[in-house]
Amino acid sequence: AKPIVYVTLNDMTAHLDVTDMAEAVVGGREALTERPLVACYKNTLFPLVHNAEAVRTLLDLAGRGLPCIYSPVSTAGTVAPMTVLGATVVVNAGVLAGLVMAQLKREGAPYIAIGWAGEVLDMRTMVDIFAWPDHRAVYSSLLHWYDLPMWTLGGVTDSKLPDQQAAAEAALTLLADAVSGGHMIHDIGFMESAYTGSLASTRSSPSMKCRRCRPRCRPRSTASSRERRRGPGRPDGPRSSLNSRPRRVPRPVWATSLRP
């Protein structure tokens, strides 16, 4: 299931209000901890400077066993080196700092890291390049090695209109995230360095992403479903004891507690 991702900006207690509302919806704190339906997306001030609002939100949610998308995003060329390796090192330091704080607060607390090595600034125009190719899939590989859930970026474009450039960049950024194994892809439909957005691109980008797996996502026929519910070789017989057991829906990967 897809979570409701919310942003609290500079508010020190807004995440507590959202958590209280979510608990009321699902039936209490334990139910929300078991299957969280919300996740807070929190940016730090800089990758190596973590402001009080971000740290408090992270620790409060970790204490309740709830996931936080902790994002020490950097911008290569300003607060991080311009090279891929240098930017990755800086972002990784911020991500691991957040991970350590969350685990010190509550061991095993779910933690979601950003899956890209920050953004990059065009040093000629001083414009943020949103659909840049250089840094993609590098840091996500490291997060797979850490076995951490990640929050990736795709379906974006630097075009100002939903034109051919927008379609190409949205498709290629989604492809990069898909092949690198991103768990949650955000900013779909963002354009012009995230200054504007397109509803048309928001609608078409998920279709681009699903084309490669659509044959595997087709629902099974009614007949095959009926056969699975009945005993083998007995289409009209009683349901088998194996298939009649209630199946537990697994927690999504982004909400999974970390192994100690």
Side-chain angles (χ1 to χ4, degrees), residues 33-52:
T33 303
E34 176 64 24
R35 289 194 60 80
L37 55 83
V38 293
C40 182
Y41 178 30
K42 200 67 178 178
N43 288 308
T44 65
L45 188 61
F46 299 110
L48 302 181
V49 178
H50 297 218
N51 50 308

Side-chain angles (χ1 to χ4, degrees), residues 147-242:
D147 198 19
L148 285 176
M150 69 187 76
W151 168 259
T152 56
L153 186 148
V156 300
T157 179
D158 291 311
S159 175
K160 296 179 174 59
L161 296 171
D163 52 12
Q164 294 89 337
Q165 175 189 347
E169 291 179 344
L172 291 174
T173 53
L174 284 173
L175 176 62
D177 279 346
V179 299
S180 61
H183 298 125
M184 300 168 63
I185 301 178
H186 84 299
D187 280 2
I188 292 178
F190 276 33
M191 305 176 64
E192 194 187 357
S193 302
Y195 283 111
T196 58
S198 168
L199 293 178
S201 180
T202 303
R203 175 63 184 89
S204 61
S205 292
S207 299
M208 298 176 190
K209 181 176 182 294
C210 289
R211 288 185 193 278
R212 61 192 297 271
C213 63
R214 190 168 291 168
R216 291 176 289 176
C217 296
R218 291 172 182 167
R220 298 185 177 93
S221 65
T222 305
S224 61
S225 300
R226 186 181 299 114
E227 291 171 1
R228 288 196 305 276
R229 292 196 301 268
R230 302 294 182 182
R234 300 174 59 187
D236 297 324
R239 295 175 62 178
S240 66
S241 58
L242 178 62

Side-chain angles (χ1 to χ4, degrees), residues 10-22:
N10 295 324
D11 196 307
M12 294 286 285
T13 59
H15 61 283
L16 299 178
D17 298 331
V18 175
T19 301
D20 291 341
M21 289 187 287

Side-chain angles (χ1 to χ4, degrees), residues 94-171:
V95 168
L96 293 183
L99 176 63
V100 169
M101 288 188 288
Q103 301 309 302
L104 288 176
K105 179 67 176 182
R106 177 171 176 170
E107 186 176 356
Y111 180 84
I112 305 172
I114 60 168
W116 71 99
E119 301 173 7
V120 62
L121 201 68
D122 188 329
M123 305 307 292
R124 295 173 301 176
T125 62
M126 302 304 291
V127 173
D128 186 10
I129 306 175
F130 217 48
W132 77 109
D134 298 15
H135 295 59
R136 293 192 172 275
V138 176
Y139 190 49
S140 57
S141 301
L142 186 58
L143 292 178
H144 280 300
W145 189 75
Y146 290 148
D147 198 19
L148 285 176
M150 69 187 76
W151 168 259
T152 56
L153 186 148
V156 300
T157 179
D158 291 311
S159 175
K160 296 179 174 59
L161 296 171
D163 52 12
Q164 294 89 337
Q165 175 189 347
E169 291 179 344

